[in-house]
Amino acid sequence: MLSQRVSSLPENIVTQQQVGDHAKIDKMSMSDLVATLTEKKLIKRSPHKKDKRAYSLCLTAKGHTQVLKAIPIIEGIDKVFFQKETTELVKLIENLQYLVE
């Protein structure tokens, strides 16, 4: 999980490239996403201290608050969605596992 890897880094530094790779988002889409989140003041993007080609991302206080609000909502949706095992759900899980392998 990315959050576990991020927490072990000094000052929770994570690069835009790391997030894109983890989420399997192409560079252009990741750039657009970062621009949107920056514009909404949910993340801060700054030049990486050691790698001049990279950018560091971090949550703003507003972004952190939004994440904390989103977690119980997402967990509630997951609980409802995954509570009943259906043929379609099993197939979806198999397809998702195939994609991440």
Side-chain angles (χ1 to χ4, degrees):
M1 176 177 255
L2 185 62
S3 61
Q4 291 169 337
R5 284 186 267 163
V6 171
S7 62
S8 66
L9 295 172
E11 301 175 26
N12 292 334
I13 295 171
V14 63
T15 67
Q16 184 171 327
Q17 181 68 44
Q18 288 171 315
V19 175
D21 290 347
H22 179 76
K24 297 185 182 353
I25 298 173
D26 65 83
K27 287 183 181 185
M28 189 62 181
S29 297
M30 187 64 199
S31 181
D32 290 344
L33 177 60
V34 167
T36 299
L37 294 174
T38 302
E39 184 178 305
K40 293 181 180 217
K41 302 195 185 313
L42 296 173
I43 64 169
K44 182 180 175 189
R45 177 180 180 244
S46 55
H48 194 276
K49 292 178 183 176
K50 295 182 180 177
D51 185 348
K52 302 259 188 237
R53 302 164 298 158
Y55 289 96
S56 299
L57 302 178
C58 66
L59 283 174
T60 62
K62 180 180 177 182
H64 187 261
T65 299
Q66 293 300 315
V67 168
L68 293 178
K69 286 180 183 178
I71 289 171
I73 295 168
I74 293 166
E75 288 175 345
I77 292 168
D78 283 350
K79 185 176 180 181
V80 169
F81 184 79
F82 291 108
Q83 78 184 36
K84 184 177 179 189
E85 189 172 299
T86 63
T87 306
E88 292 83 11
L89 178 58
V90 170
K91 193 170 193 166
L92 171 63
I93 292 169
E94 288 171 356
N95 287 336
L96 291 173
Q97 288 173 335
Y98 173 77
L99 289 173
V100 295
E101 291 178 349

